[in-house]
Amino acid sequence: AQLVESGGGSVQAGGSLRLSCATSEFTEFSTYCMGWFRKAPGKERERVATINVKGMPTYADSVKGRFTISQDNAKTTLYLQMNTLKPEDTATYYCAASAWPQCPISQGDYHYWGQGTQVTVSS
């Protein structure tokens, strides 16, 4: 697998989780836009946060101020620190990579996807 997520789980509202996405050594993901997306039951998959090759992050309005996207120095692992979690954050979270250095808007332009990790937030 090219992208492997971990760190999901069940927490109570107000809690925190840190997701990780390990990248394959066979692909030069350091030159890729990296992102986190999520899909809740009955809803379409949505962008949560992205980080371009220059390290500039962008966030969905619903997570601004609560979530932080980051990478390790070698850009082999992508993280999503999620604080002050809410029940509406419950979803399967996916790591994705786009060969475009600037993060595209269309999810169709992300070339690699992980298998997803479940996050459940209870009230």
Side-chain angles (χ1 to χ4, degrees):
Q2 302 277 8
L3 302 174
V4 180
E5 303 97 334
S6 61
S10 297
V11 295
Q12 290 191 327
S16 298
L17 282 173
R18 188 193 197 199
L19 304 184
S20 298
C21 173
T23 65
S24 167
E25 62 185 54
F26 299 112
T27 302
E28 195 61 49
F29 285 108
S30 62
T31 62
Y32 282 53
C33 158
M34 301 295 295
W36 288 100
F37 296 78
R38 66 186 181 187
K39 187 180 186 310
K43 295 185 178 181
E44 293 187 353
R45 187 171 59 191
E46 63 176 356
R47 177 187 64 89
V48 175
T50 58
I51 186 165
N52 68 13
V53 295
K54 293 185 177 180
M56 182 175 298
T58 62
Y59 298 95
D61 289 343
S62 59
V63 306
K64 278 182 182 176
R66 300 188 298 122
F67 289 12
T68 303
I69 188 171
S70 64
Q71 293 174 291
D72 65 346
N73 289 337
K75 294 189 176 181
T76 58
T77 305
L78 181 72
Y79 301 102
L80 185 68
Q81 177 67 43
M82 305 186 295
N83 298 328
T84 319
L85 282 161
K86 304 176 181 180
E88 50 264 43
D89 295 318
T90 295
T92 301
Y93 284 71
Y94 298 90
C95 172
S98 172
W100 297 103
Q102 295 298 324
C103 296
I105 296 175
S106 172
Q107 295 184 31
D109 289 328
Y110 286 79
H111 305 91
Y112 298 94
W113 291 86
Q115 82 289 351
T117 186
Q118 178 66 36
V119 171
T120 302
V121 184
S122 58
S123 58

